[in-house]
């Protein structure tokens, strides 16, 4: 979603805000803008498209001032245009916003009646105009901003800046995250601590409904009831090396390559020092759980679908998986013997957070499987399980997916143990198998050259299918999602056995069909389905190990993967899925880290 930053500084802020926006650009890149206060002037610069355009604009038309706000936009209301770019300004106030104001049409009509017309199609300009209206009525800036906030419905993180007020910035959080940064004689606001990383490591996270009045001397927070609130100041350790490309061409390439280390670290963190027993939080217990629901969006949902196989086979636990945006609006049957797990890299995805809130108090336990430990889902779930993937900057999720799988698998082992399906020895056996994972991931990464060659063949196609059975079925869906979002090739993931029930009609010599098939118990069946494709001149690419490729017989194209234990296949086969999409994007020349129309951390419904 949109990224927000605000600085009350000691130096010229526009270049510093620009740098901070660079670290937030993954949240949206339809347009960007900065407003500053300089002596008695409030001025702004806005540019369409990526941040580089704003940066070019500022070279020719600098923006002086030591107080400023900035924004990088993912369009919701109004097309990506300069007029719709933030900051929005009305009279003496400028505003940047992440989220959606649901009652903006009503407010807009009210403002039109008093002669305050909009210049943009956005809901954000309504906030600026309403604040202007209150200021025109004689209210002081803070009073006007607070009166405006009282009228807003929806989800937002906001920062206000006022003409003539070089030492004042107001922030508000309702449904979208906002952090306050404390510097030396400087203060900051940011959508996340990452944006503020080089400026300060001292962060206060605002809570739901909080408003903050910031001057260079500090921050005064009031809660949703208008009471003064003391929110803890935390030290955030963000190693700069974790947020740069470390010599890789793209963040995605770096994040794919990090997986062996990330998975090793996550396994180490969640197991005993000898790595023979689980070391998950005390409170996590499945003894009185007889039903589990796993809820997430996008890639997290495919991780959930893989995990369903594990919870069922290792723990005998019935599992439902659902997309958060569907789960929250149907009437899911909840109960005291049900546990609910919410999987989210960002921990801020609006639908997943709303789904969590929907079940609070109506299930035995809620568990957040998150990458950002300070996120809303981490804070609001009964138990937060960190996946420890480190900052994921590329919009397409890669290392967070396999790290989610790791934590979900460890949870499934815990459920197996709690429910008497696995004894300590069996768990230790599975953990020993998991120890092999970093090495096997490295072996899969070593196939990058061959995968890049295969991707050449995808450069000119418009459609592709991915097939898999068992846990390879959701993996096929994840592989298709990666290809779609990175290369804009239309792709679908199907259960191998389902192909003949319809999609086989799509098969012709133009249709690449990538079959993800380790040599497991279901292999022969998958091969039969593959033969059905070959018989119709489909362009099969078989991804399997040596034994599988030998057994399958001749296929037009193949990729040799390392031999893997069944439990590890979804992790290891994620690597070719990710690299195929990455290299297809390179072939087609699309924007790898920031694909069109997308944004990371989707904080609107
Ligand atoms: C796909 C992708 C998205 C996210 C989804 C959920 O590569 O990244 O599908 O998985 O938007 O995001 P989180 O995990 O932050 O809730």
């Amino acid at each position: 979603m949109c990224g927000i930053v605000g600085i009350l500084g000691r130096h010229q802020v526009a270049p510093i805000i620009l740098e901070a926006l660079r670290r937030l650009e993954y949240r949206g890149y339809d347009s960007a803008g900065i407003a500053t206060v300089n002596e008695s002037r409030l001025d702004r610069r806005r540019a369409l498209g990526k941040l580089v355009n704003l940066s070019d604009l500022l070279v020719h038309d600098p923006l002086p001032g030591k107080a400023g706000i900035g924004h990088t936009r993912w369009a919701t209301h109004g097309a990506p245009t300069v007029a719709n770019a933030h900051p929005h300004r009305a009279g003496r106030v400028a505003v940047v916003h992440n989220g959606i104001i649901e009652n903006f049409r009503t407010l807009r009509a009210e403002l039109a009646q008093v002669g305050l017309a909009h210049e943009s199609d956005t809901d954000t300009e309504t906030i600026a105009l309403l604040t202007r209206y209150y200021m025109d009525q004689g209210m002081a800036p803070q009073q006007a901003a607070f009166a405006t906030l009282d009228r807003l419905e929806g989800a937002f993180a906001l920062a206000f800046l006022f003409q003539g007020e070089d030492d004042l910035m107001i922030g508000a959080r309702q449904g979208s995250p906002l952090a306050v940064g404390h510097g030396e004689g400087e203060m900051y606001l940011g959508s996340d601590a990452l944006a503020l990383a080089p400026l300060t490591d001292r962060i206060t996270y605002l809570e739901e409904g909080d408003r903050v009045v910031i001057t260079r001397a500090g921050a005064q927070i009031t809660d949703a009831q208008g009471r003064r609130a003391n929110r803890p100041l935390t030290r955030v350790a963000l190693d700069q090396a974790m947020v740069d490309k470390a010599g890789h061409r793209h963040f995605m390439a770096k994040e794919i390559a990090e997986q062996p280390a990330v998975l090793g670290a996550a396994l180490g963190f969640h197991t005993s020092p000898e790595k023979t027993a689980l070391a998950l939080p005390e409170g996590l217990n499945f003894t009185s759980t007889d039903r589990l629901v796993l809820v997430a969006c996008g890639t997290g949902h495919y991780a959930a679908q893989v995990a369903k196989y594990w919870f069922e086979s290792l723990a005998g636990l019935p599992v439902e998986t659902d997309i958060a945006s569907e789960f929250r609006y149907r009437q899911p049957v909840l109960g005291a013997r049900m546990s609910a797990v919410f999987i989210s890299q960002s921990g801020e995805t609006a639908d997943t957070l709303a789904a969590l809130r929907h079940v609070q108090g109506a299930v035995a336990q809620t568990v957040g499987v998150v990458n950002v430990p300070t996120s809303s889902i981490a804070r609001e779930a009964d138990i937060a399980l960190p996946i420890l993937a480190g900052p994921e900057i590329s919009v397409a999720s890669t290392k967070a997916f396999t790290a989610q799988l790791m934590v979900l698998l460890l949870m499934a082992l815990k459920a197996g143990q709690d429910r008497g399906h696995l004894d300590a020895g069996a768990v230790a056996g599975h953990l020993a198998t998991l120890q092999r994972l970093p090495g096997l991931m490295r072996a899969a990464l070593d196939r990058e050259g061959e995968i890049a060659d295969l991707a050449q063949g995808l450069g000119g196609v418009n459609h592709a299918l991915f097939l898999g059975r068992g846990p390879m079925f959701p993996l096929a869906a994840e592989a298709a999602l990666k290809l779609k979002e990175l290369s804009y090739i239309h792709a679908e993931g199907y259960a191998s056995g389902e192909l003949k029930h319809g999609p086989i009609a799509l098969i012709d010599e133009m249709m690449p069909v990538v079959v993800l098939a380790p040599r497991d118990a279901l292999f022969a069946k998958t091969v039969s389905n593959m033969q059905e494709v070959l018989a119709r001149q489909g362009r099969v690419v078989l991804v399997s190990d040596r034994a599988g490729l030998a057994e399958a017989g001749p296929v037009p194209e193949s990729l040799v993967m390392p031999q893997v234990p069944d439990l590890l296949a979804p992790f290891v086969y994620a690597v070719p899925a990710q690299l195929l999409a990455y290299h297809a994007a390179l072939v087609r020349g699309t924007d790898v880290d920031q694909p069109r129309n997308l944004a990371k951390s989707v904080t609107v419904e």
Side-chain angles (χ1 to χ4, degrees), residues 297-300 343-347 349 395-397 404 481-482 485 602:
C297 300
T299 286
I343 305 155
S344 174
Q345 186 284 129
S346 61
T349 298
V395 166
S397 192
Q404 285 163 351
L481 174 63
K482 287 285 97 83
E485 62 183 333
V602 182

Side-chain angles (χ1 to χ4, degrees), residues 296-302 343-350 352-353 369 371-372 377 392 394-398 400 404 478 481-482 485-486 598-602:
C297 300
T299 286
H301 179 242
Y302 295 130
I343 305 155
S344 174
Q345 186 284 129
S346 61
E348 300 293 352
T349 298
T352 313
L353 181 58
V369 174
N371 195 29
V372 181
I377 291 177
E392 193 181 62
S394 172
V395 166
S397 192
T398 53
Q404 285 163 351
E478 167 62 6
L481 174 63
K482 287 285 97 83
E485 62 183 333
L486 282 157
L598 294 178
K600 210 161 179 78
S601 188
V602 182

Side-chain angles (χ1 to χ4, degrees), residues 213-248:
V213 178
I214 297 176
T215 65
R216 286 181 183 78
Q220 275 195 8
I221 301 174
T222 45
D223 67 13
Q225 282 70 44
R227 295 174 303 221
R228 280 289 294 277
N230 272 327
R231 305 291 179 221
L233 190 115
T234 47
R235 291 236 175 222
V236 177
L238 273 176
D239 179 355
Q240 187 55 28
M242 291 167 87
V243 290
D244 69 27
K245 291 184 195 148
H248 290 269

